[in-house]
């Protein structure tokens, strides 16, 4: 099953969270923070939204930085994705 976002929506997949701290301590799964860096999996077409033209600035494969609690989490075919608006993306990581 594929996810095809509409309008200015972007589907992202989280990059695996760090399991070990810089000092070498291993973290339990419950202690790990939600990663802020994600990979773009699908991008909507953009268009006229709320009377303004929205051009999509990200493309599939880009690594992006998100705010911590943005978007809607969904599970498709056993994989977890987050659907967000393009405006919730803080930056593209190069």
């Amino acid at each position: 099953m594929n996810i095809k976002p509409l309008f200015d929506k972007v589907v992202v997949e989280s990059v695996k969270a760090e399991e070990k701290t810089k000092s070498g301590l291993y973290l339990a799964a419950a202690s790990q923070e939600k990663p802020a860096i994600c990979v773009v999996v699908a991008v909507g077409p953009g268009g006229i939204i709320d009377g303004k033209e929205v051009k999509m600035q990200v493309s599939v494969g880009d690594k992006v930085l998100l705010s911590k609690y943005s978007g809607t989490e969904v599970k498709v075919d056993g994989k977890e994705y987050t659907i967000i608006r393009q405006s919730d993306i803080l930056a593209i990581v190069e």
Side-chain angles (χ1 to χ4, degrees), residues 2-58:
N2 290 331
I3 300 175
K4 184 176 179 183
L6 303 174
F7 307 110
D8 67 335
K9 301 294 190 285
V10 178
V11 179
V12 296
E13 184 176 15
S14 296
V15 176
K16 189 174 180 181
E18 291 293 323
E19 295 178 1
K20 188 166 69 168
T21 64
K22 290 179 183 179
S23 62
L25 298 174
Y26 286 93
L27 298 172
S31 301
Q32 297 172 2
E33 289 189 23
K34 178 181 174 186
I37 296 179
C38 298
V39 175
V40 176
V41 176
V43 178
I48 305 296
I49 298 159
D50 296 331
K52 298 177 184 174
E53 184 177 357
V54 175
K55 293 182 180 180
M56 301 307 284
Q57 303 292 316
V58 296

Side-chain angles (χ1 to χ4, degrees), residues 26-91:
Y26 286 93
L27 298 172
S31 301
Q32 297 172 2
E33 289 189 23
K34 178 181 174 186
I37 296 179
C38 298
V39 175
V40 176
V41 176
V43 178
I48 305 296
I49 298 159
D50 296 331
K52 298 177 184 174
E53 184 177 357
V54 175
K55 293 182 180 180
M56 301 307 284
Q57 303 292 316
V58 296
S59 57
V60 174
D62 285 349
K63 286 187 179 180
V64 294
L65 184 63
L66 306 178
S67 53
K68 195 169 188 174
Y69 299 106
S70 62
T72 302
E73 294 180 0
V74 295
K75 194 176 226 183
V76 177
D77 295 334
K79 292 184 90 175
E80 292 185 13
Y81 299 100
T82 304
I83 301 175
I84 59 171
R85 295 186 82 160
Q86 179 177 246
S87 59
D88 291 336
I89 296 174
L90 304 174

